[in-house]
Amino acid sequence: MLNLIIFGPPGAGKGTQSEKLLSKYQLQHISTGDLLRAERSAGTELGNQANEYISKGELVPDTVVIGMVKNFMLSHPEAGGFIFDGFPRTTPQADALDVMLKEFQTGISIVLGLEVDEDELVKRLLLRGQSSGRADDQDESTIRNRFQEYQNKTLPLQGYYQSQGKYHGVNGIGEVEDIFGALCAHIDSL
Ligand code: B4P
């Protein structure tokens, strides 16, 4: 079973590259950002709760996100592998993911980190904000807050996976196809 984490700061291209990877490797896609936005569009209590955090550029509480991922995995027992996009984002989420995958008698195969500098990220997110309607992409101070959250809570996971020999960083600036090629080269060398 191939289980990969696509890792990186907000706007690094996790969603963009996940779409390409999941069709090439026949994986089940879990994007916590997409799941949270779907809950919000459906007007569920979880979605309304999550929106309070997302609109301020803060991470949604671990218990909410972990429960959502667990439900998603349990409802896809046929999956040949998962691509985790935007999850885990904190150490408790990473610990919970290890436990969940053990229950599936599997584990994380590889962590692919998209490395992009902050100025480029701000440009990308503001540009997406013009067309996506995503409020968290439209205000620069909310975007900066997302980076702060990333630095404080998510970046430490890079070391967590490096110490397990699973982290591989890739330059996330350039043509989407070239970045995809670099990610595939790491997967194919497993
Ligand atoms: P997410 O939906 O995960 O979004 P993201 O980090 O903003 O974007 P991503 O990296 O996927 O970028 P994309 O490919 O779209 O999170 C949103 C919010 O949900 C979080 O802030 C948080 O509040 C909450 N949340 C989600 N998961 C959570 C968790 N586990 N725990 C707690 N809270 C959670 O690319 C961005 C833009 O760049 C696009 O417009 C794209 O077209 C462009 N782009 C991509 N690749 C490019 C390239 N090579 N060159 C130029 N542009 C490129």
Side-chain angles (χ1 to χ4, degrees), residues 14-134:
K14 301 184 294 290
T16 304
Q17 295 296 335
S18 293
E19 288 301 327
K20 300 177 73 63
L21 290 167
L22 66 97
S23 75
K24 174 163 177 173
Y25 295 98
Q26 304 294 305
L27 300 171
Q28 188 67 56
H29 186 204
I30 303 188
S31 159
T32 42
D34 287 351
L35 290 175
L36 290 166
R37 283 185 289 275
E39 293 282 345
R40 184 181 54 192
S41 302
T44 65
E45 197 186 324
L46 189 156
N48 294 335
Q49 221 187 331
N51 193 39
E52 286 178 33
Y53 296 92
I54 295 173
S55 60
K56 287 186 270 183
E58 292 172 7
L59 291 183
V60 174
D62 288 334
T63 47
V64 173
V65 179
I66 291 167
M68 206 177 60
V69 170
K70 191 164 188 178
N71 286 341
F72 185 94
M73 288 174 71
L74 289 172
S75 63
H76 291 82
E78 77 296 344
F82 291 97
I83 175 161
F84 296 95
D85 164 7
F87 181 88
R89 267 175 151 103
T90 63
T91 304
Q93 291 182 19
D95 291 339
L97 180 58
D98 284 342
V99 171
M100 287 187 254
L101 288 172
K102 253 192 207 131
E103 285 170 13
F104 276 66
Q105 294 174 336
T106 183
I108 291 297
S109 317
I110 189 166
V111 179
L112 296 168
L114 291 168
E115 298 174 351
V116 181
D117 64 68
E118 198 167 311
D119 288 345
E120 168 73 12
L121 295 169
V122 173
K123 264 194 267 165
R124 287 185 190 181
L125 292 173
L126 287 172
L127 189 67
R128 182 171 66 182
Q130 290 170 14
S131 56
S132 69
R134 272 180 61 171

